Amino acid sequence: MVGRFRISGCRLRSTICFAWSAGGLLSSLAALASSTIDFSQCPTVLTPYEASYISSYNNLSLNGQRSLAPQESGGWLLSHTVKKLGSRISERSVFEAHNNQLRIRQYDMDQSIFGIRRKDRVHFDWENKVIRTSGRREGEIPLDGSYLDPLSHQLALRCDMAHGAQQATYPVVKRGKVKPHRFRRVGTARLETELGPLDTVVIERVRDSDERSTRIWLAPNLNYLLVRLQQRDNEDDLDVTLQLKAVEFQ
């Protein structure tokens, strides 16, 4: 029998945010593509769960839901959705745990904010060794390594941090391109959250410009689940927030 426990809170103390976006240089992609994450070193990261978040998009308040669930086919589905009234952003990543490593099959992003709609599709064709992208940018990319998508690379980051890594870099396919996402551990912090006090690992996104800043908080006692995210983009005047409200693990 599968055991379950639920953690929830009653009041939002503060709202902090994060948005995962591409950045970095392409020169190191060959080495990055050959790198892998061994999930046998962090098995709890692949524990199924359902979580709810409070988020905002430039002061637009949104309700968020994120889940990781096994599929009947033997694969996994990682999904994240934020919505309120006429606004909705949805991401889905379908992948397999192949030889203790992530093998992505499909990534989909659907966004509708104030009537403006955007879509991105990424299909990982492992049989023909090609990545096909559609939506805002259509094209093909050789599938010659362990590439990730904008959602699944967050699982890889959780695994690396659980394994004690101080820094990590992932080749992420986004908007028809592959770019390295670089992170570094910057310390620890005890947060007051809706779930109560939580000890967290603090991570920053390494960027080439000071115009963008990103900070992430992961909770070791919650399988290194995302607790709080924060991003500020001065160039696009963008401020997005995300904070954990409740979670249920299986």
Side-chain angles (χ1 to χ4, degrees), residues 222-234:
L222 298 179
N223 300 334
Y224 283 82
L225 190 68
L226 174 67
V227 173
R228 182 180 291 179
L229 305 173
Q230 176 178 311
Q231 177 172 297
R232 177 65 184 173
D233 188 333
N234 294 325

Side-chain angles (χ1 to χ4, degrees), residues 47-242:
T47 301
Y49 70 89
E50 293 182 4
S52 60
Y53 289 84
I54 296 294
S55 60
S56 68
Y57 185 93
N58 279 5
N59 296 321
L60 173 65
S61 179
L62 299 170
N63 297 314
Q65 299 291 329
R66 177 174 292 205
S67 65
L68 175 65
Q71 303 296 283
E72 292 183 358
S73 63
W76 293 81
L77 171 63
L78 177 63
S79 65
H80 183 81
T81 302
V82 292
K83 61 182 179 180
K84 186 174 183 180
L85 299 177
S87 298
R88 177 185 175 92
I89 304 173
S90 175
E91 290 182 276
R92 291 165 51 92
S93 177
V94 178
F95 64 91
E96 302 168 352
H98 181 74
N99 293 331
N100 292 318
Q101 299 163 9
L102 295 187
R103 174 175 282 189
I104 314 304
R105 285 293 183 180
Q106 182 75 26
Y107 169 78
D108 299 301
M109 190 283 290
D110 293 278
Q111 174 180 301
S112 177
I113 299 178
F114 300 128
I116 300 176
R117 301 182 63 88
R118 294 179 177 175
K119 293 184 178 181
D120 280 314
R121 302 284 184 269
V122 184
H123 177 65
F124 292 74
D125 185 346
W126 290 92
E127 289 72 24
N128 296 301
K129 300 297 182 181
V130 64
I131 301 172
R132 298 184 177 89
T133 65
S134 61
R136 281 177 284 182
R137 181 170 294 177
E138 297 187 3
E140 293 187 349
I141 302 169
L143 182 51
D144 54 3
S146 300
Y147 295 124
L148 301 173
D149 61 61
L151 199 57
S152 64
H153 88 279
Q154 301 172 32
L155 279 175
L157 179 63
R158 289 175 58 199
C159 181
D160 271 334
M161 293 302 108
H163 195 46
Q166 296 300 309
Q167 58 186 4
T169 306
Y170 312 106
V172 177
V173 181
K174 185 174 183 179
R175 298 178 187 174
K177 295 182 179 181
V178 181
K179 293 185 177 181
H181 283 40
R182 296 173 289 168
F183 301 92
R184 64 186 173 202
R185 186 192 298 242
V186 295
T188 60
R190 187 171 178 82
L191 299 183
E192 292 294 334
T193 74
E194 289 209 11
L195 287 69
L198 284 175
D199 292 322
T200 64
V201 172
V202 186
I203 304 153
E204 284 185 347
R205 174 82 180 273
V206 181
R207 298 183 180 276
D208 297 320
S209 171
D210 293 335
E211 292 299 311
R212 294 179 178 180
S213 62
T214 300
R215 182 160 284 204
I216 313 158
W217 289 259
L218 305 179
N221 288 341
L222 298 179
N223 300 334
Y224 283 82
L225 190 68
L226 174 67
V227 173
R228 182 180 291 179
L229 305 173
Q230 176 178 311
Q231 177 172 297
R232 177 65 184 173
D233 188 333
N234 294 325
E235 289 183 353
D236 296 331
D237 193 24
L238 180 66
D239 191 359
V240 183
T241 73
L242 187 66

